[in-house]
Amino acid sequence: MDLTIRPRRLRGSETLRRMVRETRMDAASLIYPMFVMDGENKVDEIPSLPGQYRYTVDRMDEELDRLENAGVHAVMFFGIPAVKDEVGSQAYSPEGIVQRALRHARVSHPDMYLITDVCMCEYTSHGHCGVLCDQYVDNDASLALLAQTALSHVEAGADMVAPSDMMDGRVRAIREVLDVSGYVTTPIMSYAVKYASAFYGPFRDAAGSAPAFGDRKTYQMDFHNRHEGIKEALLDVREGADIIMVKPAMSYLDMIRDVRERIEVPVAAYSVSGEYAMVKAAAANGWIDEERIMCEMAAGVYRAGASILLTYYAKELAVCIREGKIG
Ligand code: PBG
């Protein structure tokens, strides 16, 4: 056979395959989403997210220890408050659940990098991501509260804030408040390319944050759109975002690639609750190999162009990376 080029030559052994591998992974790029809740001495498993738990502040060290042991050094906190109201006061109260979790973790795990999700949906009685004016989420009125939330997180010890509300102008509003308060060095990771997605279903069960009426389509993006995602990413970079996130990950790999090619800041991808829940459910039925699927999905996200991955599988992935099963 007259074949000069035989791609199979470079697939001949594991050693060679690893040598020529194009996508390499590092546990340093993983962020673990963690739910903290009001109350005492409780660890509740989340039914729609098997293996994921909500922790009260006095029990969260168990999970932070496990993360550090696995080699995961960054978390993103989501708060589940005991009380909610129209204006989401617990989101920006210095005694709010995330603020207390931050003060605790800052001391108990000084080397853990603490990121917070900045949004109002877990804190508002109506479950929307901002404040309402009649039935409409009022963009500009929400900005001040989101900025106040971000500032209260940083004052409580957050290393980075990550607005996920999808209001226009929130990155600028947060940057301005942080800067005038002396936090010029605190980075913002913007959930810039965030679609209105059914993949968030299990998260909303976990956080009790499903909207009481309507949906999030007047602020989160229509999943048919690509240019709009690039527009959002470019806008947020201009407003001062240090990292741009694409969310969800699995059905949006094209957006990860598009954004990577159009902007100069790191791109993060969030493999959301529905992605995790689907893998868990199929694995529980014996239909797929959970570990191999998890590794393949993660590699796809990095190959698409992300350099940071938020995932409920952070610990398991870190171990697979360490053991050479991936990356
Ligand atoms: C808050 C927020 C959500 C998620 C992250 N931040 C829910 C939503 O937008 O409805 C989803 C995360 C996940 O599904 O894992 N706005």
Side-chain angles (χ1 to χ4, degrees):
M1 199 43 166
D2 182 21
L3 266 182
T4 315
I5 298 169
R6 291 179 180 268
R8 288 185 58 189
R9 265 185 220 123
L10 292 182
R11 301 182 197 133
S13 72
E14 179 65 8
T15 306
L16 182 56
R17 286 192 295 270
R18 290 174 69 90
M19 186 191 296
V20 300
R21 188 166 277 172
E22 297 176 44
T23 303
R24 298 196 188 269
M25 276 167 257
D26 184 338
S29 67
L30 297 171
I31 301 172
Y32 180 67
M34 181 168 169
F35 298 94
V36 289
M37 65 176 169
D38 269 323
E40 263 174 50
N41 193 25
K42 272 202 283 194
V43 178
D44 290 346
E45 188 167 22
I46 300 162
S48 52
L49 294 172
Q52 302 300 315
Y53 301 82
R54 308 181 188 100
Y55 299 87
T56 54
V57 171
D58 54 353
R59 296 289 300 275
M60 58 190 284
D61 285 345
E62 303 163 19
E63 180 59 29
L64 296 173
D65 288 344
R66 279 193 290 271
L67 287 161
E68 285 194 338
N69 290 336
V72 178
H73 298 287
V75 289
M76 165 99 88
F77 285 143
F78 292 95
I80 303 162
V83 290
K84 305 181 188 234
D85 59 30
E86 278 282 299
V87 292
S89 338
Q90 287 301 305
Y92 38 88
S93 160
E95 290 308 313
I97 174 62
V98 166
Q99 290 79 358
R100 283 187 291 115
L102 285 164
R103 287 197 293 270
H104 179 88
R106 188 76 291 156
V107 175
S108 74
H109 290 77
D111 296 331
M112 188 57 90
Y113 196 80
L114 306 176
I115 309 170
T116 59
D117 181 84
V118 174
C119 194
M120 303 197 61
C121 63
E122 296 112 281
Y123 305 91
T124 50
S125 43
H126 44 77
H128 280 287
C129 301
V131 285
L132 298 180
C133 179
D134 297 324
Q135 298 278 87
Y136 191 72
V137 178
D138 185 337
N139 192 86
D140 298 11
S142 302
L143 293 182
L145 299 179
L146 289 161
Q148 203 182 328
T149 302
L151 176 61
S152 73
H153 289 172
V154 176
E155 284 173 342
D159 292 304
M160 180 190 284
V161 290
S164 69
D165 52 281
M166 287 300 279
M167 298 302 122
D168 295 332
R170 80 274 170 78
V171 172
R172 193 179 87 183
I174 291 171
R175 189 70 271 159
E176 278 173 5
V177 166
L178 294 182
D179 287 357
V180 297
S181 309
Y183 297 109
V184 293
T185 60
T186 305
I188 299 175
M189 171 163 64
S190 175
Y191 287 69
V193 189
K194 176 171 175 176
Y195 288 90
S197 169
F199 281 99
Y200 311 147
F203 173 96
R204 292 182 189 170
D205 288 343
S209 64
F213 65 89
D215 51 39
R216 304 210 199 292
K217 290 181 183 166
T218 69
Y219 40 104
Q220 298 181 350
M221 282 178 9
D222 181 341
F223 56 69
H224 302 83
N225 296 351
R226 172 169 170 247
H227 291 118
E228 190 186 8
I230 298 168
K231 172 167 109 183
E232 283 282 5
L234 292 172
L235 251 180
D236 282 8
V237 169
R238 221 179 299 149
E239 288 183 27
D242 301 282
I243 299 174
I244 291 292
M245 191 203 295
V246 175
K247 177 188 173 199
M250 188 173 59
S251 297
Y252 298 86
L253 297 174
D254 58 328
M255 295 310 303
I256 296 174
R257 169 54 52 94
D258 279 341
V259 169
R260 170 67 288 154
E261 286 175 353
R262 293 291 297 272
I263 63 173
E264 305 304 329
V265 306
V267 177
Y270 194 152
S271 181
V272 299
S273 57
E275 300 177 46
Y276 175 87
M278 292 194 307
V279 176
K280 278 284 174 192
N285 277 293
W287 296 335
I288 56 168
D289 179 329
E290 181 179 10
E291 189 177 88
R292 289 177 57 206
I293 293 272
M294 167 187 86
C295 290
E296 196 174 325
M297 282 169 64
V301 167
Y302 287 100
R303 194 185 61 236
S307 51
I308 298 168
L309 174 60
L310 292 102
T311 170
Y312 300 95
Y313 276 124
K315 288 191 294 288
E316 293 81 357
L317 274 172
V319 171
C320 283
I321 292 169
R322 187 162 69 205
E323 292 176 351
K325 289 181 180 159
I326 184 181

